[in-house]
């Protein structure tokens, strides 16, 4: 069994940190409520000159440096985002230009919070199929720009940021390493539980995020547990063999409940939601990069990525570093 190899990672955050107390000065909420219900203590919010493309480009540069590669070594960019710089062209093409990658393939994937899992799986498939040799897989968002800042049930939950990984097509030395198994799902019947109430073809506006949080929570625990088991089964790996779970960082309580259902000890779950809040497609690669850089995740580790978000969409991917 061998899949595309993960050669490096990088991440980027906006300059400005916003604490729960700062939010509570403007919105009818409290640090106590936010911490108790979600685990979030702060989030980063993009300012002037910071966009999804600039954050993505910074994360991609860091990932290239980590992998010891140059922009010219990349012939595929798959960027997951629900907050593109423009309706078109794809933000991936802006990143391609900013990095100085010439030619190759660049496109966006829209799967909201599970966007990174979708992008990783698409890039891995394209690399295995021989469409490209080395890919940048990026999750980048500026959710602060689609939040309704008068809706306390959603605006306290999200933040901005980007994360990226470099993937290489499987080669002679990749036996047992790389992306070992991935599973993706979607259920369009759940549209109304998590969506944006605008768009070019409907309202000709960007719109704002709307979420029925309690119901999303319930679905998330069930769907994530199921897809994690599917991936373990496909890879013929037991939950005990996993070194690290890197989940979508929506809510510390969802992370706890999902890990408990699978029998994975909490110390094997990477949790960054306290620092970054929910950064949608950026959250998994951002958490992964954070844990690699602080020395927790090491070469050779078996890592499970998982996420669920609007659509609904959800998925998981098992990677041997
Ligand atoms: O990334 C995509 C996937 N998204 C998710 O996975 C999010 C999943 N959902 C969640 O994380 C949680 O459901 C939330 C954090 C969104 C909400 O937590 P909850 O424990 O489900 O709270 P709730 O919605 O049941 O609300 C409880 C109470 C309500 O008041 P009443 O009706 O009990 O009087 C809310 O009005 O908390 C109130 N409330 C707030 N209070 C202070 C809601 N938002 C706030 C707030 N500050 N920001």
């Amino acid at each position: 069994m061998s899949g595309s190899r993960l050669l490096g990672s990088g991440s980027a955050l906006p300059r400005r940190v916003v604490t729960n107390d700062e939010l509570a000065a403007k919105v009818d909420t409290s640090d106590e409520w936010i911490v108790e219900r979600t685990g979030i203590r702060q989030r980063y919010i993009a300012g002037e000159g910071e966009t999804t493309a600039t954050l993505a480009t910074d994360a991609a540069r860091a990932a290239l440096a980590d992998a010891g590669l140059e922009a010219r070594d990349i012939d595929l960019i798959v960027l997951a985002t629900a907050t593109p710089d423009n309706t078109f062209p794809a933000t991936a093409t802006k990143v391609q230009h900013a990095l100085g990658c010439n030619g190759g393939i660049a496109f966006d994937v829209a799967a909201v919070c599970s966007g990174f899992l979708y992008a990783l799986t698409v890039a891995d498939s394209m690399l295995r199929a021989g469409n490209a040799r080395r890919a940048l897989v990026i999750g980048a968002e500026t959710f602060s720009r689609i939040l309704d800042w008068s809706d306390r049930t959603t605006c306290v939950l999200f933040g901005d940021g980007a994360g990226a990984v470099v993937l290489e097509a499987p080669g002679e030395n990749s036996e047992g390493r790389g992306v070992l198994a991935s599973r993706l799902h979607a259920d369009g019947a759940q549209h109304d539980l998590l969506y944006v109430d605008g768009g070019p073809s409907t309202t000709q506006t960007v719109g704002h995020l709307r979420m029925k949080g309690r119901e999303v929570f319930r679905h998330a625990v069930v769907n994530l547990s199921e897809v994690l088991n599917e991936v373990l089964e496909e890879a013929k790996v037991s939950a005990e063999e996993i070194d690290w779970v890197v989940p979508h960082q929506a809510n510390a309580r969802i992370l706890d409940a999902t890990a408990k259902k699978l029998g994975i000890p909490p110390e094997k779950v990477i949790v960054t939601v306290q620092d970054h809040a929910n950064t949608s497609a950026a959250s998994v690669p951002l958490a992964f990069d954070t844990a690699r850089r602080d020395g927790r995740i090491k070469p050779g580790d078996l890592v499970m990525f998982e996420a669920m978000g609007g659509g609904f969409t959800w998925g998981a991917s098992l990677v041997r570093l």
Side-chain angles (χ1 to χ4, degrees), residues 104-128:
I105 305 163
F107 62 97
D108 289 358
V109 162
V112 206
C113 296
S114 41
F116 180 75
L117 271 301
Y118 269 67
L120 186 75
T121 306
V122 167
D124 175 45
S125 304
M126 290 182 73
L127 293 172
R128 286 180 199 236

Side-chain angles (χ1 to χ4, degrees), residues 56 74-81 84 87-97 103-111 115 118-127 131-132 135-140:
I74 298 298
D75 51 4
L76 170 64
I77 300 176
V78 187
L79 189 150
T81 190
T87 302
F88 81 81
T91 301
T93 61
K94 283 183 96 168
V95 173
Q96 182 202 40
H97 180 61
I105 305 163
F107 62 97
D108 289 358
V109 162
Y118 269 67
L120 186 75
T121 306
V122 167
D124 175 45
S125 304
M126 290 182 73
L127 293 172
N131 296 107
L136 268 168
V137 182
I138 308 169

Side-chain angles (χ1 to χ4, degrees), residues 28-29 33 37-38 113 152-153 156-157 194 211 213-214 216-217 248 250-251 253-254 278 308:
D28 179 18
T29 189
W33 189 94
R37 301 290 176 129
T38 71
C113 296
R152 69 173 184 174
T153 69
V156 303
L157 304 173
L194 178 49
M211 178 167 74
R214 206 178 307 180
V216 177
F217 190 115
H248 171 48
N251 185 321
R253 285 156 55 214
I254 297 180
N278 181 346
M308 135 116 193

Side-chain angles (χ1 to χ4, degrees), residues 18-318:
V18 176
T19 63
N20 291 346
D21 282 334
E22 272 178 87
L23 269 190
K26 294 183 210 136
V27 181
D28 179 18
T29 189
S30 65
D31 176 55
E32 193 189 1
W33 189 94
I34 302 172
V35 172
E36 191 184 308
R37 301 290 176 129
T38 71
I40 297 165
R41 293 184 181 275
Q42 61 170 44
R43 73 283 297 136
Y44 290 79
I45 301 288
E48 208 175 321
E50 292 173 323
T51 70
T52 295
T54 69
L55 293 168
T57 303
D58 289 346
R61 281 206 182 101
L64 284 173
D66 185 45
L69 295 172
E70 307 277 339
R72 64 168 178 272
D73 299 321
I74 298 298
D75 51 4
L76 170 64
I77 300 176
V78 187
L79 189 150
T81 190
T83 46
D85 277 24
N86 300 87
T87 302
F88 81 81
T91 301
T93 61
K94 283 183 96 168
V95 173
Q96 182 202 40
H97 180 61
L99 291 174
C101 302
N102 295 317
I105 305 163
F107 62 97
D108 289 358
V109 162
V112 206
C113 296
S114 41
F116 180 75
L117 271 301
Y118 269 67
L120 186 75
T121 306
V122 167
D124 175 45
S125 304
M126 290 182 73
L127 293 172
R128 286 180 199 236
N131 296 107
R133 172 110 197 91
R134 284 200 200 94
L136 268 168
V137 182
I138 308 169
E141 303 278 15
T142 44
F143 257 49
S144 64
R145 290 176 179 151
I146 55 163
L147 295 175
D148 174 353
W149 288 98
S150 67
D151 175 12
R152 69 173 184 174
T153 69
T154 54
C155 74
V156 303
L157 304 173
F158 296 89
D160 303 333
V165 299
V166 179
L167 278 191
E168 185 175 70
E172 285 164 15
N173 302 322
S174 37
E175 186 59 30
R177 299 184 73 180
V179 182
L180 303 180
S182 298
R183 277 295 172 95
L184 300 174
H185 290 282
D187 177 7
Q190 309 301 340
H191 173 279
D192 293 352
L193 297 184
L194 178 49
Y195 67 104
V196 168
D197 62 1
S201 180
T202 49
T203 58
Q204 297 82 56
T205 63
V206 171
H208 291 112
L209 181 148
R210 305 292 171 206
M211 178 167 74
K212 296 196 174 103
R214 206 178 307 180
E215 281 144 274
V216 177
F217 190 115
R218 200 165 43 79
H219 283 276
V221 178
V222 175
N223 290 344
L224 289 171
S225 308
E226 277 175 15
V227 76
L228 287 168
N229 278 318
E230 284 171 18
V231 169
L232 288 174
E233 211 165 287
E234 192 183 320
K236 298 187 176 49
V237 162
S238 68
E240 296 81 65
E241 290 174 73
I242 297 174
D243 294 304
W244 298 103
V245 180
V246 184
H248 171 48
Q249 309 286 319
N251 185 321
R253 285 156 55 214
I254 297 180
L255 308 191
D256 290 345
T258 312
K260 201 174 270 175
K261 250 186 150 193
L262 283 171
I264 293 173
E267 57 274 17
K268 285 188 171 185
V269 181
I270 303 296
V271 183
T272 57
V273 70
Q274 69 283 0
D275 297 326
H276 304 148
N278 181 346
T279 57
S280 185
S283 91
V284 169
L286 189 50
F288 175 67
D289 188 54
T290 303
R292 277 192 67 237
R293 282 173 198 268
D294 69 22
R296 275 179 288 174
I297 299 181
K298 296 187 180 66
D301 280 354
L302 188 61
V303 181
M304 180 73 93
F305 298 116
E306 46 112 318
M308 135 116 193
F312 287 156
T313 55
W314 65 101
S317 211
L318 187 69

